[in-house]
Amino acid sequence: MVKANWRQQAGRVLTYLVLAIFALYFIMPLLVMVFNSLKELAEIRTGNLVLPPQSPTSEAWQKAWSSACTGLSCEGVSAYFWNSFKITLPAVVLASAIGAINGYVLSKWRFRGSEVFFALMLLGCFIPFQAVLLPMAQTLGYLGLANSVPGLILVHTIYGIPFTTLFYRNYYVGLPTELISAAKLDGAGFFQTFYHIVLPLSGPIIVVTLIWEFTNIWNDFLFGVVYSGPASQPITVALNNLVNTSHGVKEYNVDMAAAIIAAIPTIFIYIISGKYFLRGLVAGAVKG
Amino acid sequence: MTIGTQAQPLSGVPSRESLADKLQAVLPKIVLAPSMAITLVFTYGFIVWSLVLSFTNSRMLPNYDFIGLSNYSKLFSMDRWTVAYTNLFIFGFLFIVIAICVGTLLAILLDQKIRAEGVLRTIYLYPFALSLIVTGTAWKWILNPEIGIEKLMHDIGFSRFQFDWLVDKDMAIYTIVIAAVWQASGFVMAIMLAGLRGVDNSIIKAAQIDGATMPTIYRRIILPIMRPIFFSCFIILSHLAIKSFDLVVVLTAGGPGYSSDLPATFMYQYAFGRNQIGIGSASAMITLMGFIAILIPYLYSELRKKKHG
């Protein structure tokens, strides 16, 4: 009995040890970013990357926000930060709204062929975007939306719809059909049922979809780098330009500050809604 | 995928339908039509369009002079393309295997009534909420031999320590695995943990009474039950691997030389950097076909599940 106990103890210690080592691996890049964004350049050169700053300063943050050079312009990343909002918010709202009504049809108003359509759309979630990149560039050109914020909103909305539809559909399948039938008996039509019965029950899935889409679109780089012009670049593209700029002295503290600025909205969302985020990931992945 | 019982649409009511009833019956179709059109045009139409472009000698601008399969034969004679798809196999294999192992290990350990579970879960999962363009900035620094881990080890006295994979053309692709595993294994952990919590406790109790140890119970009972979840993870991770673009761009820009190129960066480079739209499209088509080859078994198993469920 004593021996078994000892073994259990050792197992316990080992478990915590392994978890702690992995925690270190996961937290390290964030620590490096935060610590070094608060250092002066001289301290970065002489010190090492994992030590906390000796005398924290917000200098690098100010520079990153308003005067660092990204590519040709030297006005910091603030304009691109707002670009990202201008792109993300409308695209998230549009894709979520369209996804909700699609999900409602595909779960409660199925018709012949709707399942086939759903499968086709699902496949659309998964294709590698390289396969549509060039035609989309052409199309945006025809539409006069090349290198513009509306162009990017369009692209993100279009390729967001399959995901949002999937989320809502899987959620609505679980709503009792009796509710819908009862509403129909009472004479409620398609939209009335959606508006008065389904929508009020959609809280959790709306939150999940909004979080998922916001994170995806905010973090997008591929569409941003291909379809944006100098004035419509999202923050991820600007950040990459800043970090990979080859001229001048490398200002690591400014890079780190800019990286954190680019991460703030998604970190914020993750912290305030981590529980839903997790649930959403699981719902989207395990069921999807 | 769960398929519940479904409400029948209001169609099929014999004659005497009013106009409003008819409208009600077609409304769902009308509502779905725009999305249907969007899917057909922007997904399937565009794939066909890319396919057409891959048979043309388009360079800076698309044109429609067909040259048969010559882009494909050119593509496969290019060393850079060989490197790119070989890298995808190396990267994809290591990334998927390691991320699933790490994620599963973390989930199992976290499932042992760990005190700080909430905090640890948050730490493990946060990378998935961030863009690799953002965290790649930090990784690039940590992995850079002149300022990162290598320098740190030298500073604390290990003067012979060497870790210069990022600038070594044979090893650069492996550094990308390190950062990619870092980003995705928390996600695997989350899914696995959800799966573990869903396992029926009475099965475990019964096995314990029979005298099985916890490791045996996991190996022989719990992990086999979670097979579908492993499969979902595999599909999602392979999707992420094929899409991997940001990570390479920010960490190595495909370098040194083109040693860490992946099909996604290759395609971008040829289509938008070198004005070789024909070759870029051909590479996109090959990537797509590779992915379909993975996806079809998945869809097949999903559909089978539906029939049995």
Side-chain angles (χ1 to χ4, degrees), chain B residues 158-189:
Chain B
F158 297 94
S159 57
R160 310 252 306 267
F161 181 86
Q162 217 185 343
F163 188 70
D164 54 0
W165 290 6
L166 191 67
V167 290
D168 179 337
K169 73 177 173 49
D170 295 323
M171 302 305 281
I173 191 71
Y174 298 98
T175 57
I176 292 173
V177 174
I178 297 178
V181 164
W182 173 84
Q183 204 223 9
S185 38
F187 174 65
V188 177
M189 179 275 305

Short mmCIF file of all heavy atoms in Angstrom, two decimals, chain B residues 158-189:
data_model
loop_
_atom_site.label_atom_id
_atom_site.label_comp_id
_atom_site.label_asym_id
_atom_site.label_seq_id
_atom_site.Cartn_x
_atom_site.Cartn_y
_atom_site.Cartn_z
N PHE B 158 26.57 28.27 -21.70
CA PHE B 158 26.73 27.12 -22.60
C PHE B 158 27.26 27.62 -23.94
O PHE B 158 26.52 27.79 -24.89
CB PHE B 158 25.40 26.40 -22.81
CG PHE B 158 24.83 25.81 -21.55
CD1 PHE B 158 23.92 26.51 -20.79
CD2 PHE B 158 25.24 24.53 -21.14
CE1 PHE B 158 23.40 25.96 -19.62
CE2 PHE B 158 24.71 23.99 -19.98
CZ PHE B 158 23.81 24.71 -19.22
N SER B 159 28.57 27.85 -24.02
CA SER B 159 29.10 28.56 -25.17
C SER B 159 29.10 27.71 -26.44
O SER B 159 29.23 28.21 -27.53
CB SER B 159 30.51 29.06 -24.88
OG SER B 159 31.32 27.95 -24.54
N ARG B 160 28.95 26.39 -26.30
CA ARG B 160 28.97 25.55 -27.50
C ARG B 160 27.57 25.24 -28.00
O ARG B 160 27.40 24.53 -28.98
CB ARG B 160 29.71 24.23 -27.19
CG ARG B 160 31.05 24.42 -26.52
CD ARG B 160 32.25 24.11 -27.43
NE ARG B 160 32.22 22.79 -28.04
CZ ARG B 160 32.82 21.71 -27.51
NH1 ARG B 160 33.44 21.79 -26.35
NH2 ARG B 160 32.80 20.58 -28.16
N PHE B 161 26.55 25.74 -27.28
CA PHE B 161 25.17 25.45 -27.66
C PHE B 161 24.88 26.01 -29.05
O PHE B 161 25.21 27.14 -29.36
CB PHE B 161 24.20 26.06 -26.65
CG PHE B 161 22.76 25.79 -26.94
CD1 PHE B 161 22.14 24.64 -26.49
CD2 PHE B 161 22.00 26.70 -27.68
CE1 PHE B 161 20.81 24.39 -26.76
CE2 PHE B 161 20.66 26.45 -27.96
CZ PHE B 161 20.07 25.30 -27.49
N GLN B 162 24.26 25.18 -29.88
CA GLN B 162 23.97 25.64 -31.22
C GLN B 162 22.52 25.38 -31.58
O GLN B 162 22.01 24.29 -31.38
CB GLN B 162 24.88 24.91 -32.20
CG GLN B 162 25.31 25.80 -33.32
CD GLN B 162 26.12 25.03 -34.36
OE1 GLN B 162 26.60 23.95 -34.11
NE2 GLN B 162 26.24 25.62 -35.53
N PHE B 163 21.85 26.41 -32.08
CA PHE B 163 20.47 26.24 -32.53
C PHE B 163 20.19 27.24 -33.64
O PHE B 163 19.62 28.28 -33.44
CB PHE B 163 19.52 26.44 -31.34
CG PHE B 163 18.10 26.09 -31.67
CD1 PHE B 163 17.73 24.77 -31.87
CD2 PHE B 163 17.13 27.08 -31.81
CE1 PHE B 163 16.43 24.44 -32.19
CE2 PHE B 163 15.82 26.75 -32.13
CZ PHE B 163 15.47 25.43 -32.33
N ASP B 164 20.65 26.90 -34.83
CA ASP B 164 20.54 27.86 -35.92
C ASP B 164 19.67 27.31 -37.06
O ASP B 164 19.92 27.56 -38.22
CB ASP B 164 21.92 28.24 -36.44
CG ASP B 164 22.74 27.02 -36.83
OD1 ASP B 164 22.21 25.89 -36.69
OD2 ASP B 164 23.88 27.17 -37.26
N TRP B 165 18.67 26.54 -36.71
CA TRP B 165 17.83 25.92 -37.73
C TRP B 165 17.20 26.93 -38.67
O TRP B 165 17.04 26.67 -39.85
CB TRP B 165 16.71 25.11 -37.07
CG TRP B 165 17.18 23.88 -36.39
CD1 TRP B 165 18.49 23.49 -36.21
CD2 TRP B 165 16.38 22.86 -35.81
NE1 TRP B 165 18.53 22.30 -35.54
CE2 TRP B 165 17.25 21.89 -35.28
CE3 TRP B 165 15.00 22.69 -35.68
CZ2 TRP B 165 16.78 20.76 -34.63
CZ3 TRP B 165 14.53 21.57 -35.03
CH2 TRP B 165 15.42 20.61 -34.52
N LEU B 166 16.82 28.08 -38.12
CA LEU B 166 16.08 29.06 -38.91
C LEU B 166 16.86 29.51 -40.14
O LEU B 166 16.28 29.80 -41.17
CB LEU B 166 15.74 30.28 -38.04
CG LEU B 166 14.75 31.27 -38.62
CD1 LEU B 166 13.37 30.65 -38.76
CD2 LEU B 166 14.66 32.52 -37.77
N VAL B 167 18.19 29.52 -40.04
CA VAL B 167 18.99 29.99 -41.17
C VAL B 167 19.75 28.85 -41.84
O VAL B 167 20.62 29.06 -42.66
CB VAL B 167 19.98 31.09 -40.73
CG1 VAL B 167 19.23 32.36 -40.39
CG2 VAL B 167 20.83 30.64 -39.55
N ASP B 168 19.41 27.62 -41.47
CA ASP B 168 20.05 26.45 -42.06
C ASP B 168 19.08 25.88 -43.10
O ASP B 168 17.95 25.54 -42.79
CB ASP B 168 20.32 25.42 -40.95
CG ASP B 168 20.97 24.16 -41.49
OD1 ASP B 168 20.83 23.89 -42.69
OD2 ASP B 168 21.61 23.46 -40.69
N LYS B 169 19.52 25.79 -44.35
CA LYS B 169 18.55 25.43 -45.38
C LYS B 169 18.01 24.01 -45.24
O LYS B 169 16.93 23.71 -45.73
CB LYS B 169 19.11 25.68 -46.78
CG LYS B 169 20.15 24.71 -47.26
CD LYS B 169 20.51 25.07 -48.70
CE LYS B 169 21.68 24.28 -49.23
NZ LYS B 169 21.57 22.82 -49.01
N ASP B 170 18.75 23.15 -44.57
CA ASP B 170 18.23 21.79 -44.37
C ASP B 170 17.26 21.72 -43.19
O ASP B 170 16.51 20.76 -43.07
CB ASP B 170 19.38 20.80 -44.13
CG ASP B 170 20.26 20.68 -45.36
OD1 ASP B 170 19.70 20.72 -46.48
OD2 ASP B 170 21.48 20.59 -45.21
N MET B 171 17.31 22.70 -42.30
CA MET B 171 16.52 22.60 -41.08
C MET B 171 15.39 23.62 -40.99
O MET B 171 14.52 23.50 -40.15
CB MET B 171 17.43 22.77 -39.85
CG MET B 171 18.56 21.77 -39.76
SD MET B 171 17.98 20.06 -39.81
CE MET B 171 17.43 19.86 -38.14
N ALA B 172 15.39 24.63 -41.87
CA ALA B 172 14.43 25.74 -41.74
C ALA B 172 12.99 25.22 -41.65
O ALA B 172 12.20 25.73 -40.85
CB ALA B 172 14.59 26.70 -42.91
N ILE B 173 12.65 24.20 -42.44
CA ILE B 173 11.27 23.70 -42.44
C ILE B 173 10.89 23.13 -41.07
O ILE B 173 9.74 23.21 -40.65
CB ILE B 173 11.06 22.67 -43.58
CG1 ILE B 173 9.57 22.35 -43.77
CG2 ILE B 173 11.84 21.38 -43.36
CD1 ILE B 173 8.77 23.45 -44.37
N TYR B 174 11.89 22.62 -40.34
CA TYR B 174 11.58 22.06 -39.01
C TYR B 174 11.29 23.15 -37.98
O TYR B 174 10.52 22.95 -37.05
CB TYR B 174 12.73 21.16 -38.53
CG TYR B 174 12.95 19.97 -39.43
CD1 TYR B 174 13.94 19.98 -40.39
CD2 TYR B 174 12.12 18.85 -39.35
CE1 TYR B 174 14.14 18.91 -41.25
CE2 TYR B 174 12.30 17.77 -40.20
CZ TYR B 174 13.31 17.80 -41.15
OH TYR B 174 13.47 16.74 -41.99
N THR B 175 11.93 24.31 -38.15
CA THR B 175 11.61 25.41 -37.22
C THR B 175 10.16 25.83 -37.41
O THR B 175 9.49 26.24 -36.47
CB THR B 175 12.51 26.63 -37.44
OG1 THR B 175 12.38 27.04 -38.79
CG2 THR B 175 13.95 26.33 -37.13
N ILE B 176 9.69 25.71 -38.65
CA ILE B 176 8.29 26.07 -38.91
C ILE B 176 7.36 25.09 -38.19
O ILE B 176 6.31 25.48 -37.68
CB ILE B 176 8.05 26.12 -40.43
CG1 ILE B 176 8.84 27.32 -40.96
CG2 ILE B 176 6.59 26.26 -40.76
CD1 ILE B 176 8.87 27.45 -42.43
N VAL B 177 7.79 23.84 -38.11
CA VAL B 177 6.99 22.86 -37.36
C VAL B 177 6.88 23.28 -35.89
O VAL B 177 5.80 23.20 -35.30
CB VAL B 177 7.61 21.44 -37.47
CG1 VAL B 177 6.87 20.46 -36.58
CG2 VAL B 177 7.60 20.96 -38.91
N ILE B 178 7.99 23.74 -35.31
CA ILE B 178 7.97 24.14 -33.89
C ILE B 178 6.88 25.17 -33.63
O ILE B 178 6.07 25.03 -32.72
CB ILE B 178 9.34 24.71 -33.46
CG1 ILE B 178 10.42 23.63 -33.58
CG2 ILE B 178 9.27 25.25 -32.03
CD1 ILE B 178 11.80 24.12 -33.22
N ALA B 179 6.85 26.21 -34.48
CA ALA B 179 5.87 27.27 -34.25
C ALA B 179 4.44 26.81 -34.59
O ALA B 179 3.49 27.19 -33.92
CB ALA B 179 6.24 28.50 -35.07
N ALA B 180 4.33 25.97 -35.62
CA ALA B 180 2.99 25.51 -36.01
C ALA B 180 2.38 24.59 -34.94
O ALA B 180 1.20 24.70 -34.62
CB ALA B 180 3.05 24.78 -37.36
N VAL B 181 3.21 23.72 -34.37
CA VAL B 181 2.75 22.85 -33.29
C VAL B 181 2.33 23.69 -32.10
O VAL B 181 1.29 23.46 -31.48
CB VAL B 181 3.86 21.85 -32.88
CG1 VAL B 181 3.55 21.21 -31.54
CG2 VAL B 181 4.02 20.79 -33.95
N TRP B 182 3.12 24.70 -31.84
CA TRP B 182 2.81 25.62 -30.74
C TRP B 182 1.43 26.24 -30.94
O TRP B 182 0.66 26.37 -30.00
CB TRP B 182 3.90 26.71 -30.69
CG TRP B 182 3.62 27.81 -29.74
CD1 TRP B 182 3.88 27.83 -28.40
CD2 TRP B 182 3.03 29.08 -30.05
NE1 TRP B 182 3.49 29.03 -27.86
CE2 TRP B 182 2.97 29.81 -28.85
CE3 TRP B 182 2.55 29.68 -31.21
CZ2 TRP B 182 2.46 31.10 -28.78
CZ3 TRP B 182 2.02 30.97 -31.15
CH2 TRP B 182 1.99 31.65 -29.95
N GLN B 183 1.13 26.60 -32.17
CA GLN B 183 -0.15 27.27 -32.39
C GLN B 183 -1.35 26.33 -32.30
O GLN B 183 -2.38 26.69 -31.75
CB GLN B 183 -0.16 27.95 -33.76
CG GLN B 183 -1.16 29.10 -33.78
CD GLN B 183 -1.99 29.17 -35.03
OE1 GLN B 183 -1.99 28.28 -35.86
NE2 GLN B 183 -2.73 30.25 -35.14
N ALA B 184 -1.19 25.10 -32.80
CA ALA B 184 -2.38 24.26 -32.98
C ALA B 184 -2.60 23.21 -31.91
O ALA B 184 -3.69 22.67 -31.81
CB ALA B 184 -2.34 23.60 -34.36
N SER B 185 -1.58 22.89 -31.10
CA SER B 185 -1.81 21.74 -30.22
C SER B 185 -2.79 22.06 -29.08
O SER B 185 -3.45 21.17 -28.58
CB SER B 185 -0.51 21.14 -29.70
OG SER B 185 0.41 22.10 -29.42
N GLY B 186 -2.90 23.35 -28.72
CA GLY B 186 -3.89 23.71 -27.72
C GLY B 186 -5.30 23.44 -28.23
O GLY B 186 -6.19 23.03 -27.48
N PHE B 187 -5.47 23.63 -29.52
CA PHE B 187 -6.76 23.36 -30.15
C PHE B 187 -7.09 21.87 -30.10
O PHE B 187 -8.20 21.48 -29.74
CB PHE B 187 -6.68 23.88 -31.58
CG PHE B 187 -7.89 23.58 -32.41
CD1 PHE B 187 -9.12 24.11 -32.11
CD2 PHE B 187 -7.78 22.76 -33.53
CE1 PHE B 187 -10.23 23.84 -32.88
CE2 PHE B 187 -8.88 22.48 -34.31
CZ PHE B 187 -10.10 23.02 -33.99
N VAL B 188 -6.09 21.06 -30.43
CA VAL B 188 -6.28 19.60 -30.32
C VAL B 188 -6.61 19.25 -28.87
O VAL B 188 -7.52 18.45 -28.61
CB VAL B 188 -5.01 18.84 -30.78
CG1 VAL B 188 -5.19 17.35 -30.59
CG2 VAL B 188 -4.69 19.17 -32.22
N MET B 189 -5.87 19.86 -27.94
CA MET B 189 -6.13 19.62 -26.52
C MET B 189 -7.60 19.90 -26.18
O MET B 189 -8.25 19.10 -25.50
CB MET B 189 -5.18 20.52 -25.70
CG MET B 189 -5.29 20.46 -24.20
SD MET B 189 -6.55 21.53 -23.46
CE MET B 189 -6.15 23.15 -24.06
#
